[in-house]
């Protein structure tokens, strides 16, 4: 079988993929020689649909681009529209937005930990991390009424408040999660079989990461200091900043470590906000017709930088809403690092960038 | 304040790098700089930005600007498509604006300079009908294989299939 | 204990055939339940493996295009037949082996390998990419653990001075447990058993997240049911062998249940502890560490016997 070019199709239906997409992996035995990608299996035409809905309807539409990072989509959209209207959300609303965003980051990273462990064949870690993720889901349900699609944002503020009793429950839950994330960090750094699957795999140097336009934890694991929360603070990040978590290692293990360390930062900043919550109203009035203009709105989703470009023609519907999701920017890194690896590493490589196909396809 | 000083400094730095090709410039918000360039200068500008290590390509947006608003004429032959290349550095966003007319909708590919642009270019070409010359992978990204060719969903003239097929009859 | 039954009864009902199938299903249940509890899940109910078997047998068997039809239908039968036959030579349920002859240890190991080979061939005879990669991995893994596993089973054979499983079983019952006398051999045998059964961490040949189901991807309905049954029976036989050799022999049904379930507990624990090893890591592990350990153990046994004859 030497020298024979063999194509292994992965997807659209495949146990490794949680959402449909199509990869063609060219292999020679177990060695990968190339990879191509085809997206679009969950393309719903959301950008076009946004042009036919009012601003408020679009808020609900944007939330549904993705289930795991729905809050940041709505947040980016709401911020953009507020900027066009020249309105700033009140301090308490911005703080609550940040709390929900960081809780979402926690649940997303725990979900990702389980999925990546499952790709490595480490089902025990998968089951444990998802069990612990239930604590975060319960907290989000406590605050918003939903486990997914929290619908926290309104154009001009937030929909609900965080009461004192909820605050106590959240802080308790965070204590538990912090302990568990310490444990998982230990597992990721010391388990021999797991290290065998992650150390040295998917090595992405800093220059490569910059050249390929990587964003989010994928880039930060290769030493690229890009984090929208630090570079261009939004919501309440200027009052309650986060530290950027960067690693110089550049391989798959570094991506695990970066995401788990980010969980600690999220927990810390949520505690800080809850203990110092500013007092104000929850929402300000927004006009129905948004003045004409163009605005760029960037937020840091759990997967990386989320880029919104909104054009208003002065009416009650947007002219154009462009969404560039972080997974789309990170695909280049997978396609570039795949050759030279073994077939068994491909699911791990793909999982390493935390792909979200619903986000990609919109 | 010192912060505002450095803010403007970053944008000014970018502007200096690409000044020879700038046709117009706008500052719609303090952290944004919009620059209009000609299609023929696109590669040179992107190259200059890359060499100066200013920013990374964040997105490529297409804006459809038909000269007569639909649905008066579905088969709209007049109009331009404005393509925006967004580069982000820290909190600054530099946008390069290139316009192409409908009847000559083509752009050179920047993939030789920035390989990460391939997915963005694929989406741009299938949604707006702009042919990107020299792009390494011209296949469809999001639209299904059975999508009729010549139909570009994000153009204003497209408003659903039933109308398109009716008009084509 | 011996049981004198008509050969046909032995073959079809007890301790082969029907009883063996039910035992296989029972052991599969225990394995799945243990692994689930270790992972903080609830796990299946006791009749789940039986329900799975019945369901699979009742489903339509889809024969994919491009496959060799004869092989496609025959290979599951070979797999099941070899597993059932191997049971005749091991002390099932603590009773003396139904049939015994000189060298039946080798025959039993060979029969167990026929099962793995059938699966590899089944994967290789289709045009499905995943099955081909899975078949390659199955056979690669077979080449890796087969030698150390055999060497580990050889240790007790040398100590008992016999190639007959019945005699080795007797010897193990009368002397110090080999678990204590040959600990390295025990370790290699236990881990080798996991490799043979393609249990995690050695489940690269059927890595669900990489190659769907490996060599068996194209199988459905009856063929899949027979393959799975063969694997379950292999589990029972493998546990019986290792328990008979290393845990002081199996001499009564109670003995049998206690020792094999104890081994199964250890196996289930090891399944949950590790991530899946890549196929090249499996090969590296076995050819470097596994073989060396087994050889060391053999040398220790031979040297021990030699010194023993010198001293006494």
């Amino acid at each position: 079988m030497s020298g024979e070019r063999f194509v292994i199709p992965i997807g659209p239906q495949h146990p490794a993929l949680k959402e449909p997409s199509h990869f063609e992996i060219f292999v020679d035995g177990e060695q990968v020689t190339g990879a191509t990608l085809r997206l679009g299996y969950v393309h719903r035409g959301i950008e076009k649909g946004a042009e036919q809905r009012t601003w408020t309807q679009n808020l609900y539409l944007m939330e549904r681009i993705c289930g795991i990072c729905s809050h940041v989509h709505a947040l980016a959209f709401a911020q953009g529209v507020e900027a066009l209207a020249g309105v700033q959300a009140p301090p308490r609303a911005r703080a609550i937005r940040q709390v929900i965003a960081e809780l979402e980051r926690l649940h997303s990273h725990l979900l990702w930990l389980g999925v990546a462990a499952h790709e490595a064949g480490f089902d025990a870690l998968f089951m444990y991390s998802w069990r612990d993720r239930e604590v975060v889901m319960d907290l989000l349900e406590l605050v918003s009424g939903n486990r997914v699609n929290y619908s926290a944002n309104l154009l001009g503020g937030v929909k609900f408040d965080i009461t004192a009793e909820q605050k106590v429950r959240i802080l308790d839950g965070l204590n538990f999660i912090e302990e568990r994330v310490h444990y998982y960090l230990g597992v990721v750094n010391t388990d021999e079989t797991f290290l065998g699957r992650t150390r040295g795999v998917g090595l992405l140097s800093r220059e490569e990461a910059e050249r390929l336009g990587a964003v989010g934890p994928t880039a930060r694991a290769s030493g690229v200091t890009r984090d929208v929360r630090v570079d261009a603070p939004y919501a309440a990040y200027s009052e309650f900043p986060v530290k950027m978590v960067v690693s110089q290692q550049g391989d798959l293990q570094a991506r695990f470590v970066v995401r788990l360390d980010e969980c600690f930062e999220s927990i810390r900043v949520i505690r800080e906000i809850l203990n110092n919550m500013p007092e104000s109203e929850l929402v300000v009035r927004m006009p129905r017709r948004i003045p004409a203009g163009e605005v760029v709105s960037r937020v840091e989703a759990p997967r990386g930088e989320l880029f919104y470009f909104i054009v208003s023609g002065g009416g009650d519907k947007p002219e154009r809403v462009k969404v560039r999701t972080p997974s789309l920017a990170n695909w280049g890194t997978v396609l570039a690092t795949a050759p030279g690896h073994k077939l068994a590493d491909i699911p791990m490589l793909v999982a390493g960038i935390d792909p979200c196909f619903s986000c990609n396809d919109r | 304040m010192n912060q505002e000083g450095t803010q403007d400094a970053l944008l000014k730095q970018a502007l200096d790098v690409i000044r020879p090709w700038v046709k117009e410039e706008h500052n719609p918000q303090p952290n944004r700089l919009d620059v209009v360039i000609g299609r023929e200068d696109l590669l040179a500008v992107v190259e200059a930005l890359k060499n100066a290590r200013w920013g990374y390509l964040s997105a490529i947006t297409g804006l459809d600007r038909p000269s007569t608003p639909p649905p008066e004429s579905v088969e709209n032959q007049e109009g331009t498509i404005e393509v925006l290349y967004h580069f982000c550095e820290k909190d600054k966003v530099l946008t390069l604006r290139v316009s192409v007319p409908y009847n000559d909708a083509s752009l050179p590919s920047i993939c030789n300079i920035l390989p990460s642009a391939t997915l963005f270019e694929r989406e741009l070409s299938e949604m707006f009908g702009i042919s990107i010359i020299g792009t390494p992978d011209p296949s469809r990204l999001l639209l299904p294989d059975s999508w009729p060719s010549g139909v570009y969903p994000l153009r204003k003239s497209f408003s659903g299939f039933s109308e398109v097929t009716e008009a084509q009859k | 204990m011996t049981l004198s039954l008509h050969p046909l009864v032995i073959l079809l009902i007890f301790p082969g055939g029907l009883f063996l199938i039910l035992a296989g299903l029972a052991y599969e249940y225990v394995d799945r339940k243990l692994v689930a509890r270790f992972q903080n899940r609830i796990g299946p109910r006791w009749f789940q493996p039986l329900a799975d078997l019945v369901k699979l047998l009742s489903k339509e068997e889809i024969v994919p295009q491009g496959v060799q039809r004869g092989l496609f239908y025959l290979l599951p039968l070979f797999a099941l037949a070899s597993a059932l036959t191997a049971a005749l030579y091991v002390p099932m349920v603590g009773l003396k082996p139904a049939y015994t002859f000189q060298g039946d240890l080798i025959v039993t190991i060979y029969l167990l390998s026929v099962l793995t080979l059938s699966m590899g061939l089944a994967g290789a005879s289709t045009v499905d990419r995943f099955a081909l990669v899975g078949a390659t991995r199955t056979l690669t893994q077979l080449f890796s653990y087969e030698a150390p596993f055999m060497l580990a089973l050889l240790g007790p054979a040398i100590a008992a001075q016999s190639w007959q499983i019945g005699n080795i079983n007797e010897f193990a019952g009368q002397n110090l447990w080999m678990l204590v006398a040959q600990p390295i051999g025990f370790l290699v045998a236990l881990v080798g058993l996991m490799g043979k059964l393609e249990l995690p961490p050695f489940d690269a040949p059927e890595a669900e997240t990489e190659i769907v189901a490996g060599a068996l991807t194209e199988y459905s309905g009856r063929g899949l049911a027979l393959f799975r049954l063969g694997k379950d029976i292999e589990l029972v036989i493998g546990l019986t062998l290792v328990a008979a050799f290393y845990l002081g022999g199996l001499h009564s049904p109670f003995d049998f249940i206690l020792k094999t379930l104890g081994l199964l507990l250890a196996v289930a624990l090891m399944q949950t502890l590790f991530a899946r090893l890549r196929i090249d890591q499996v090969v590296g592990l076995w050819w470097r560490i596994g073989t060396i350990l087994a050889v060391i153990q053999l040398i220790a046994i031979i040297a021990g016997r030699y010194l023993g004859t010198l001293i006494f």
Side-chain angles (χ1 to χ4, degrees):
Chain A
M1 266 190 71
S2 57
E4 206 176 280
R5 249 178 52 131
F6 213 50
V7 178
I8 305 250
I10 297 195
Q13 279 93 23
H14 192 278
L17 302 174
K18 305 300 171 265
E19 291 166 285
S21 75
H22 185 67
F23 291 91
E24 304 216 322
I25 317 280
F26 300 95
V27 289
D28 180 9
E30 279 272 335
Q31 197 83 348
V32 174
T33 53
T36 62
L37 173 67
R38 177 88 166 86
L39 298 174
Y41 291 90
V42 267
H43 179 63
R44 293 150 286 170
I46 287 185
E47 288 184 3
K48 183 78 180 179
E51 293 171 16
Q52 287 142 14
R53 287 168 171 73
T54 67
W55 295 99
T56 316
Q57 286 175 328
N58 272 326
L59 186 62
Y60 293 99
L61 183 64
M62 293 303 144
E63 253 170 21
R64 279 150 181 78
I65 292 183
C66 175
I68 308 176
C69 47
S70 81
H71 174 78
V72 287
H73 276 282
L75 178 59
F77 184 74
Q79 273 177 188
V81 175
E82 285 161 13
L84 276 176
V87 159
Q88 212 204 23
R92 194 177 178 88
R94 283 185 287 118
I96 293 180
R97 279 177 175 174
Q98 187 169 334
V99 169
I100 307 277
E102 292 301 320
L103 277 175
E104 187 178 61
R105 193 178 315 272
L106 268 181
H107 110 77
S108 171
H109 284 336
L110 283 175
L111 181 148
W112 172 82
L113 179 65
V115 170
H118 182 60
E119 307 284 358
F122 203 176
D123 279 348
L125 183 57
F126 170 38
M127 297 294 169
Y128 289 178
S129 58
W130 276 48
R131 176 200 64 193
D132 296 331
R133 180 174 160 257
E134 288 300 309
V135 171
V136 183
M137 305 301 272
D138 287 342
L139 289 178
L140 283 164
E141 189 185 9
L142 173 72
V143 169
S144 71
N146 275 329
R147 284 162 55 96
V148 189
N149 277 345
Y150 327 114
S151 195
N153 286 306
L154 284 175
L155 291 177
V158 290
K159 205 180 276 183
F160 48 76
D161 197 5
I162 298 184
T163 66
E165 176 192 284
Q166 288 170 346
K167 167 185 158 180
V168 170
R169 302 259 310 259
I170 295 179
L171 290 175
D172 280 341
L174 289 180
N175 289 338
F176 176 74
I177 297 281
E178 190 176 29
E179 206 186 294
R180 295 307 296 166
V181 175
H182 269 298
Y183 171 69
Y184 294 134
L185 200 55
V187 169
V188 165
N189 281 328
T190 54
D191 187 281
E192 278 303 318
T193 50
F194 203 65
L195 285 175
R197 295 301 298 272
T198 57
R199 192 184 280 158
V201 171
L203 207 57
L204 191 67
S205 70
R206 186 167 164 186
E207 294 74 38
E208 273 292 292
E210 283 184 354
R211 189 178 75 98
L212 294 168
V215 291
T218 313
R220 292 199 280 282
S222 295
V224 178
T225 51
R226 268 179 210 162
D227 187 336
V228 183
R229 296 174 293 169
V230 175
D231 296 335
Y234 54 95
Y237 284 103
S238 11
E239 293 110 48
F240 303 100
V242 282
K243 236 175 20 174
M244 208 185 304
V245 178
V246 179
S247 163
Q248 301 299 332
Q249 219 176 310
D251 62 1
L252 204 51
Q253 186 196 8
R255 289 174 211 163
F256 275 87
V257 172
V258 162
R259 287 192 174 96
L260 287 175
D261 280 338
E262 276 186 12
C263 288
F264 291 132
E265 268 302 297
S266 296
I267 294 174
R268 183 192 63 77
V269 87
I270 297 176
R271 281 190 184 132
E272 202 185 315
I273 299 180
L274 286 179
N275 287 327
N276 300 306
M277 188 80 95
E279 294 294 330
S280 77
E281 70 273 15
L282 289 179
V283 68
V284 293
R285 205 143 165 61
M286 285 273 283
R288 212 175 126 250
R289 289 175 192 282
I290 306 291
E294 298 175 353
V295 73
V296 166
S297 178
R298 296 158 70 203
V299 305
E300 181 81 6
R303 285 160 186 74
E305 175 201 341
L306 181 62
F307 184 95
Y308 264 66
F309 180 72
I310 307 174
V311 179
S312 167
D316 63 344
K317 298 192 171 70
E319 274 284 307
R320 174 94 171 91
V321 177
K322 160 79 180 174
V323 180
R324 198 277 289 143
T325 52
S327 304
L328 204 59
N330 281 331
W331 278 122
T333 59
V334 172
L335 298 176
T337 55
H341 281 94
K342 309 253 180 342
L343 180 63
D345 291 327
I346 297 294
M348 293 295 286
L349 276 182
V350 169
I353 67 165
D354 200 0
C356 180
F357 296 99
S358 303
C359 275
N360 278 336
D361 291 349
R362 287 154 285 131
Chain B
M1 282 187 357
N2 199 18
Q3 264 215 332
E4 276 162 17
T6 44
Q7 280 177 5
D8 290 327
L10 270 179
L11 283 177
K12 194 167 170 321
Q13 184 191 12
L15 198 52
D16 288 337
V17 166
I18 60 175
R19 188 169 296 286
W21 303 282
V22 170
K23 293 201 172 132
E24 287 168 48
E25 58 176 270
H26 306 281
N27 220 314
Q29 278 157 331
N31 66 330
R32 281 179 55 204
L33 180 64
D34 276 2
V35 156
V36 178
I37 60 174
R39 157 176 31 181
E40 58 286 351
D41 298 327
L42 176 63
L43 289 177
V45 174
V46 174
E47 183 93 46
L49 278 174
K50 179 181 170 210
N51 289 337
R53 307 192 67 129
W54 198 97
Y56 58 95
L57 178 67
S58 199
I60 301 181
T61 308
L63 288 178
D64 187 29
R65 298 196 185 285
S67 51
T68 45
E72 285 166 24
S73 64
V74 176
E75 293 284 318
N76 203 322
Q77 288 304 323
E78 294 185 17
T80 58
I81 300 180
E82 207 180 351
V83 181
L84 284 71
Y85 292 77
H86 305 278
F87 287 83
C88 297
E89 173 78 22
K90 296 284 176 249
D91 62 324
K92 305 289 175 272
V93 182
L94 168 71
T95 307
L96 306 175
R97 305 180 82 111
V98 184
S99 289
V100 291
Y102 278 15
N103 50 18
D104 181 20
S106 71
L107 276 177
S109 163
I110 62 172
C111 285
N112 285 331
I113 313 168
L114 297 174
S116 59
T118 167
L119 292 182
F120 303 145
E121 286 182 351
R122 277 166 78 179
E123 189 185 345
L124 183 71
S125 76
E126 72 182 352
M127 291 290 173
F128 283 94
I130 301 178
S131 74
I132 314 272
I133 305 169
T135 189
D137 186 352
S139 63
R140 287 197 164 136
L141 184 69
L142 294 178
L143 293 176
D145 293 329
S146 57
W147 190 269
S149 62
V151 178
Y152 305 116
L154 276 179
R155 287 203 188 179
K156 295 292 179 191
S157 50
F158 177 78
S159 50
F161 262 120
S162 49
E163 284 120 320
V164 169
T165 41
E166 293 235 300
Q168 279 175 349
K169 276 181 195 153
Chain C
M1 275 163 51
T2 345
L3 209 55
S4 43
L5 292 171
H6 193 266
L8 220 55
V9 174
I10 292 180
L11 207 54
L12 293 176
I13 304 195
F14 182 92
L18 193 63
F19 172 79
L20 191 55
I21 291 176
L22 291 176
L25 294 176
Y27 274 73
E28 184 191 342
Y29 159 68
V30 175
D31 179 46
R32 282 167 71 173
K33 189 76 173 172
L34 280 173
V35 170
R37 297 310 279 147
F38 284 136
Q39 291 176 356
N40 205 205
R41 292 184 285 128
I42 302 206
R45 291 174 68 185
W46 63 269
F47 50 79
Q48 186 70 43
L50 179 63
D52 286 342
L53 181 70
V54 169
K55 177 198 80 170
L56 278 177
L57 285 173
S58 64
K59 289 217 171 206
E60 175 194 357
E61 185 160 21
I62 300 175
V63 183
Q65 261 188 349
V67 81
Q68 240 268 32
R69 287 189 82 94
L71 273 182
F72 190 81
Y73 286 120
L74 279 180
L75 282 171
L77 290 173
F78 277 159
L80 187 60
S82 63
L84 287 172
T85 317
L88 296 175
Y89 305 112
V90 298
M92 279 298 296
V93 206
L95 306 171
K96 273 196 164 39
Y99 293 96
T100 175
F101 55 86
Q102 277 244 359
D104 60 11
L105 174 61
I106 307 294
V107 172
T108 309
I109 297 180
Y110 168 70
L111 282 172
L112 291 180
S113 302
V114 168
L115 191 142
T116 318
L117 271 175
S118 309
M119 281 177 30
L121 273 178
S125 71
T126 68
V127 287
D128 179 13
R129 315 278 142 156
F130 300 123
L132 282 169
V133 173
T136 315
R137 289 186 183 182
T138 305
L139 296 173
T140 311
Q141 203 165 278
L142 182 68
F143 290 145
S144 325
Y145 63 69
E146 195 67 2
F149 185 60
M150 267 197 11
L151 288 177
L153 288 181
L154 220 56
I158 293 185
Q161 298 262 298
S162 164
W163 289 101
Q164 273 181 272
I165 296 182
N167 293 357
I168 305 176
N169 195 26
E170 291 286 330
F171 178 86
Q174 287 154 3
N175 293 310
L176 180 65
W177 279 22
M178 308 263 209
L179 166 62
V180 181
Q182 301 174 14
I184 304 177
F186 173 69
L187 196 63
V188 176
L190 191 63
V191 181
L193 182 64
M194 292 179 67
K196 197 159 193 57
L197 298 168
E198 285 176 10
L199 294 173
F202 302 111
D203 63 340
E206 51 125 29
E208 173 213 328
T209 55
E210 299 155 27
I211 46 177
V212 188
L216 300 182
T217 308
E218 291 294 328
Y219 274 84
S220 55
R222 196 179 56 221
L224 186 60
L226 293 179
F227 266 127
R228 287 185 51 147
L229 202 50
K231 288 187 95 160
D232 288 341
I233 296 175
E234 195 188 10
L235 174 66
V236 181
I237 297 177
L239 286 175
T240 313
L241 260 182
V242 177
F245 283 24
Y246 283 96
L247 291 184
L250 302 172
H251 306 290
S252 72
F254 178 67
D255 215 19
F256 173 81
I257 295 205
L258 204 63
K259 289 180 181 168
T260 45
L261 286 183
L263 261 187
L264 189 54
L265 182 69
V267 167
L269 187 61
M270 296 228 285
Q271 275 182 57
T272 43
L273 280 179
F274 307 113
R276 180 186 304 134
L277 291 174
R278 264 196 339 242
I279 192 72
D280 60 302
Q281 291 170 333
V282 170
V283 175
L285 180 75
W286 280 108
W287 277 109
R288 275 180 266 155
I289 303 179
T291 314
I292 291 179
L293 282 181
V295 168
I296 290 178
Q297 180 68 79
L298 268 185
I299 293 180
I301 297 171
I302 296 176
R305 292 194 66 80
Y306 185 64
L307 288 176
T309 50
L310 276 188
I311 296 173
F312 295 109

